[in-house]
Amino acid sequence: GRMSANTSMVTEFLLLGFSHLADLQGLLFSVFLTIYLLTVAGNFLIVVLVSTDAALQSPMYFFLRTLSALEIGYTSVTVPLLLHHLLTGRRHISRSGCALQMFFFLFFGATECCLLAAMAYDRYAAICEPLRYPLLLSHRVCLQLAGSAWACGVLVGLGHTPFIFSLPFCGPNTIPQFFCEIQPVLQLVCGDTSLNELQIILATALLILCPFGLILGSYGRILVTIFRIPSVAGRRKAFSTCSSHLIMVSLFYGTALFIYIRPKASYDPATDPLVSLFYAVVTPILNPIIYSLRNTEVKAALKRTIQKTVPMEI
């Protein structure tokens, strides 16, 4: 029939991204390249430090290393392609490339949601159950929590991507975004997508709100415990180990909730790429900055590593 002849029409998509800022392509390229290189270098440095420094062998750093590895993958899903588009002016992505990008973006994003919850549990156990902490977060438990986060990411990626790309796309093929994000891709589907939208809102609500609920619950208990600490110094120390994580959670969940938990009609091509830019490009670079600047142990480990690799001047 005529419909089936039309459904396979779209073989590639056009990612508009920042093409409307024609005069700024070179500047944007430089800015995003710098951010990307710093993100990869900063997160890689944390992975190396935690892997090699004997002082950073606690569960907290095990999760931080996992988070840093995640951030490298997460930002690499979108930024190199964006750089390619800014440099060449060619903005096409094949249908399979688009599906692949969406899968990995969902995979890394969902994994991070779950990992941030595991990190909150770690802080809860350290502050509220210090005597049972080695038992509650043994190496095996840490591996299980991290493994569950990765598994959750795979499920989310596989749950959405094949489902969306099995739907008919019969043109237009323009995505007002710099990567294949779920909402703008859904708008290009021919026919009724209300079921998909409902599925996305439910899945996201489950995925974002469950870990978020766990995080809030953990921090509720943590605050109660911190306020019971008699000394101001003790309170300050307990709170400072949580603050970095809290900042990351607020940034990551705030923008993700804004983008995903709302109907398709409220999608705004003008502002949404900016919001996406925030959580796809900016949040991953903040991770090493927030953790290393606010953390004396990471700073000390960095110093030790530099002293080992750079021979001291005589």
Side-chain angles (χ1 to χ4, degrees):
R2 197 165 149 265
M3 185 63 195
S4 60
N6 276 350
T7 50
S8 56
M9 269 172 52
V10 174
T11 55
E12 58 175 24
F13 295 99
L14 189 64
L15 291 166
L16 288 184
F18 301 97
S19 55
H20 59 294
L21 304 169
D23 306 340
L24 299 175
Q25 300 295 296
L27 176 68
L28 289 172
F29 176 82
S30 314
V31 170
F32 292 142
L33 179 65
T34 307
I35 292 177
Y36 180 65
L37 293 175
L38 288 172
T39 303
V40 173
N43 282 295
F44 183 69
L45 185 64
I46 288 183
V47 171
V48 171
L49 284 178
V50 176
S51 303
T52 55
D53 196 284
L56 303 181
Q57 296 311 309
S58 68
M60 177 170 139
Y61 294 110
F62 167 82
F63 289 123
L64 179 58
R65 177 178 61 190
T66 311
L67 181 67
S68 290
L70 255 181
E71 298 284 29
I72 294 172
Y74 185 59
T75 195
S76 298
V77 172
T78 56
V79 183
L81 188 70
L82 170 61
L83 292 171
H84 171 72
H85 290 167
L86 287 168
L87 197 62
T88 61
R90 289 189 66 248
R91 298 173 188 282
H92 298 281
I93 185 168
S94 68
R95 187 171 167 150
S96 54
C98 191
L100 208 60
Q101 190 183 43
M102 185 185 286
F103 168 79
F104 279 108
F105 190 75
L106 289 170
F107 164 66
F108 284 118
T111 306
E112 185 162 335
C113 275
C114 299
L115 194 71
L116 287 169
M119 292 171 87
Y121 174 68
D122 165 66
R123 293 296 80 214
Y124 157 76
I127 291 168
C128 304
E129 306 271 0
L131 298 176
R132 291 172 59 218
Y133 182 62
L135 187 72
L136 290 174
L137 277 136
S138 64
H139 189 60
R140 198 173 129 218
V141 173
C142 290
L143 287 173
Q144 284 168 343
L145 286 169
S148 307
W150 291 102
C152 186
V154 172
L155 286 174
V156 170
L158 287 178
H160 286 313
T161 315
F163 189 39
I164 288 171
F165 283 88
S166 65
L167 296 166
F169 291 93
C170 43
N173 67 340
T174 310
I175 300 172
Q177 183 52 284
F178 61 92
F179 65 102
C180 287
E181 201 175 19
I182 237 174
Q183 299 280 30
V185 171
L186 256 188
Q187 291 192 303
L188 301 179
V189 171
C190 306
D192 183 30
T193 59
S194 52
L195 186 68
N196 298 72
E197 283 186 70
L198 186 66
Q199 188 214 16
I200 288 164
I201 289 176
L202 286 175
T204 313
L206 205 66
L207 182 84
I208 293 181
L209 299 177
C210 283
F212 197 49
L214 289 169
I215 290 169
L216 288 179
S218 300
Y219 275 106
R221 301 281 297 276
I222 286 169
L223 283 173
V224 170
T225 307
I226 287 178
F227 285 127
R228 285 192 188 136
I229 297 173
S231 73
V232 175
R235 279 203 294 266
R236 190 174 292 142
K237 185 177 185 296
F239 193 73
S240 76
T241 65
C242 301
S243 53
S244 320
H245 180 249
L246 266 177
I247 295 168
M248 283 299 291
V249 167
S250 318
L251 293 172
F252 187 79
Y253 278 96
T255 45
L257 281 164
F258 175 78
I259 282 281
Y260 288 104
I261 301 192
R262 58 193 179 140
K264 185 166 84 167
S266 67
Y267 187 85
D268 179 2
T271 57
D272 283 16
L274 292 173
V275 179
S276 302
L277 194 66
F278 194 79
Y279 70 80
V281 181
V282 180
T283 324
I285 194 179
L286 292 177
N287 173 36
I289 295 173
I290 289 169
Y291 274 98
S292 43
L293 291 183
R294 300 186 61 90
N295 191 308
T296 44
E297 286 175 332
V298 173
K299 277 190 272 196
L302 183 58
K303 211 168 172 181
R304 281 193 294 276
T305 307
I306 292 169
Q307 280 165 355
K308 261 187 282 189
T309 46
V310 183
M312 296 299 286
E313 294 293 316
I314 298 163

